[in-house]
């Protein structure tokens, strides 16, 4: 085949989408972020989109934020609007699993295509800088006196910080059903509530609160990790005699109805991005722990998470 004929054929194949994602120069990707701006999923999605462009896995990236119901509203829109679209991606994670367990929405993760887990992150609990409480012990003492007087602020019902709050109550002898948990639609709303003193104690991934902790606007009183986070001088709950450890992970799903070949191309693009310096830098900046897992292994992991989280939530009186 003559070179000019080959190039014309190649251009035509790209134009109609006949070439796999990995063979094209790059794709115009569309990210569903099933949360309001300012939270962990939003930060993850936008950092991933930028890294995919830097890695040459995307020519452009657009974002659609649709918060509410622990991601279930965005999930439903993604399912309805993206069927068969090989360039559509959705950020999700443990919060969505918990939300599906508690909320029982009509559309579940069985309708979309599991691609890869990217990161894991532990939660930190913080107090407003002007709080009369100075430590987690102060919070626990008040919780034991009057459970309803302690407002726990965080993500949607069923989020890892919600589960952690219920686990803390159970561990210190308080009925988890009596905790006063205030759910917010996104990290931005939760942060504003904490800074404004509208909740007693707030929880989220450390990266979401890091700048406010550094500025002295929030006082960290405990992390949900098994050991102290690298470079973070905050005691674990276990150090403080509260036997609670729970992590938050984030991953990516593809649209419903894509072919096995299209799924493989997306996983390859994510794998390429995961290894790229841009994504490695983003993980370090945000304090995310690398947790790569792809394809069927990731799908099986999500299934096991449903089972383990359901059992934990049942023990804690959440369901």
């Amino acid at each position: 085949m003559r070179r000019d004929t080959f190039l014309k054929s190649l251009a035509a194949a790209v134009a109609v989408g006949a070439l796999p994602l990995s063979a094209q120069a790059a794709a115009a990707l569309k990210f569903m972020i099933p949360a309001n701006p300012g939270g962990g999923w939003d930060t993850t999605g936008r950092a991933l989109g930028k890294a995919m462009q830097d890695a040459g896995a995307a020519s452009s990236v657009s974002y659609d934020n649709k918060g509410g119901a622990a991601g279930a509203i965005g999930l439903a829109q993604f399912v309805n609007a993206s069927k068969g679209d090989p360039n559509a991606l959705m950020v999700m994670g443990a919060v969505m699993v918990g939300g599906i367990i508690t909320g029982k929405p009509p559309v579940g993760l069985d309708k979309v295509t599991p691609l890869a887990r990217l990161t894991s992150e532990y939660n930190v609990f913080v107090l407003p800088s002007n709080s009369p409480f100075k430590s987690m012990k102060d919070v626990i003492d008040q919780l034991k006196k009057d459970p309803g007087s302690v407002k726990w602020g965080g993500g949607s019902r069923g989020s890892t910080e919600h589960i952690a709050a219920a686990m803390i109550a159970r561990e210190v002898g308080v009925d988890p059903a009596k905790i006063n948990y205030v759910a917010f639609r996104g990290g931005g709303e939760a942060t504003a509530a904490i800074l404004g003193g509208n909740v007693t104690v707030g929880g989220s991934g450390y990266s979401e609160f890091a700048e406010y902790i550094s500025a002295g606007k929030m006082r960290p009183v405990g992390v949900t990790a098994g050991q102290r986070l690298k470079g973070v001088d905050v005691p674990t709950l276990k150090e403080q005699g509260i036997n609670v450890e729970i992590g938050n992970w984030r991953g990516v799903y593809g649209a419903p109805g894509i072919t096995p070949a299209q799924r493989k191309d997306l996983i390859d693009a994510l794998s390429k991005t995961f290894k790229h310096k841009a994504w490695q830098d983003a993980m370090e900046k945000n304090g995310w722990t690398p947790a790569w897992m792809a394809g069927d292994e990731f799908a099986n992991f999500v299934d096991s998470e449903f089972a383990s989280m359901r059992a934990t939530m049942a023990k804690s009186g959440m369901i």
Side-chain angles (χ1 to χ4, degrees), residues 16 30 40 60 102 134 182 208 216 235 247 255 281 302 304 312 319:
V16 298
K30 295 168 283 187
S60 63
T102 58
K134 305 303 179 186
V182 183
E208 293 184 44
D281 288 347
V302 174
S304 69
T312 297
I319 57 174

Side-chain angles (χ1 to χ4, degrees), residues 61-282:
V61 180
S62 59
Y63 307 94
D64 185 9
N65 286 82
K66 185 65 65 174
I73 294 174
L75 170 62
Q77 179 175 308
F78 184 70
V79 168
N80 293 329
S82 303
K83 185 174 176 59
D85 187 345
N87 294 333
L89 299 170
M90 180 187 71
V91 178
M92 54 75 67
V95 172
M96 184 175 284
V97 174
I100 289 173
I101 292 170
T102 58
K104 300 179 178 63
V107 177
L109 286 171
D110 58 314
K111 304 298 184 184
V112 284
T113 306
L115 298 176
R117 186 184 69 181
L118 301 174
T119 63
S120 182
E121 184 177 29
Y122 290 100
N123 287 32
V124 61
F125 283 104
V126 299
L127 303 171
S129 60
N130 61 352
S131 171
F133 302 132
K134 305 303 179 186
S135 66
M136 180 58 78
K137 181 182 182 302
D138 292 343
V139 174
I140 298 304
D141 288 345
Q142 182 62 31
L143 184 70
K144 290 178 178 179
K145 291 177 185 175
D146 183 2
S149 68
V150 177
K151 290 185 179 180
W152 302 80
S156 302
R157 180 172 170 77
S159 63
T160 51
E161 54 267 33
H162 185 190
I163 296 172
M167 292 172 71
I168 289 170
R170 179 165 57 90
E171 284 297 317
V172 301
V174 174
D175 182 355
K178 293 183 178 180
I179 66 169
N180 184 359
Y181 185 81
V182 183
F184 295 94
R185 288 167 59 92
E189 291 181 11
T191 296
I194 296 165
L195 293 173
N198 297 318
V199 296
T200 309
V201 55
S204 190
Y206 186 85
S207 62
E208 293 184 44
F209 293 157
E211 65 176 291
Y212 303 103
I213 292 172
S214 296
K217 295 180 179 179
M218 293 181 181
R219 180 183 300 114
V221 293
V223 294
T224 62
Q227 56 188 12
R228 291 199 182 199
L229 303 180
K230 182 180 178 182
V232 177
D233 187 24
V234 182
T236 67
L237 294 174
K238 287 188 171 183
E239 280 182 64
Q240 302 177 69
I242 306 167
N243 188 29
V244 170
E245 179 180 347
I246 183 172
N248 188 8
W249 55 267
R250 297 189 181 113
V252 183
Y253 268 62
I258 60 174
T259 67
Q262 289 168 336
R263 182 192 189 201
K264 180 181 182 302
D265 290 333
L266 285 170
I267 291 173
D268 288 346
L270 289 167
S271 177
K272 177 182 178 181
T273 302
F274 188 86
K275 298 169 186 174
H276 194 273
K277 184 178 184 300
W279 179 248
Q280 296 293 319
D281 288 347

